Structures are given as structure tokens and as C-alpha cells.
Amino acid sequence: QVQLVESGGGFVQAGGSQRLSCAASGRTNSNYLMAWFRQAPGKEREFVAAISQSGRGTYYVDSVKGRFTISRDNAKNAVYLQMESLKPEDTAVYYCAATSRLYYSRNNRDYDYWGQGTQVTVSS
């Protein structure tokens, strides 16, 4: 059993930056691949980024490449999402997720653990 708690959401102006954090607790270990998803009102949950167990491999949806950076600190059982050059279309509830699978997936159904979500609102 793993618990994930996101933080760092809030309001930001377009073009600004924001850093999201996800703290893991419970029976955590470095075997978990971590990811960020987001969901805007009326839309399906969308894959944003994932990071391998070691932190050496990262994966991003095309719309955030070059703007978002996912990282992790296994010693702190934490994963982060640094968001730069934010756009209004980035507005969504952001969720962190974890899975024991070896290869990342863009499908939210492949993830075993989820945080409660944190709202990110980007104004024009």
C-alpha cells in the first residue's frame, strides 16, 4: 500500500512557472515508475510525464515537451514536476501516480496508486 500526496498547485499567470511535488508514504521503494497525469473539466485524464525507477529515463506528452521536467528523489520518496512557460491549456487537476510495471504507460488504468490531485490554474 502506497499513499501519494500532491502539493504545489495554485494560480499562475500565462508564461509563468510552477513546481508540483508528490510525496509518497507507506510501503514505497525505488521499483515504482512514477508519472503525472492531468484532467481538465469535461476531458479525459491525460498522461503528462513519467520517470523511470532510477530517474534516468523520462517521458513526456508532446504538448509539454521542452516546458515540463519530471524528476524524482528516491531518498525523499518524492517526485516533482517543474512546469515552465505555462499556458492556459495547462489548466487542470494534476495527479501523481505510481506503478510497478517496468515500462511506462500513457494509460491511467495501468497505474496502481494515485494522489488526490492538485489544481493548477493558468490565467491568460
Side-chain angles (χ1 to χ4, degrees), residues 8 13 45 59 63 71 73 97 118:
Q13 297 290 324
R45 190 166 298 185
Y59 317 91
S63 61
S71 62
D73 186 339
T118 186

Side-chain angles (χ1 to χ4, degrees), residues 38 46-48 60-68 87 89-90 106:
R38 64 187 181 186
E46 174 191 31
F47 170 82
V48 177
Y60 301 91
V61 68
D62 287 345
S63 61
V64 308
K65 287 181 179 178
R67 300 190 298 118
F68 290 12
K87 305 174 182 180
E89 51 263 44
D90 294 319
R106 294 171 180 257

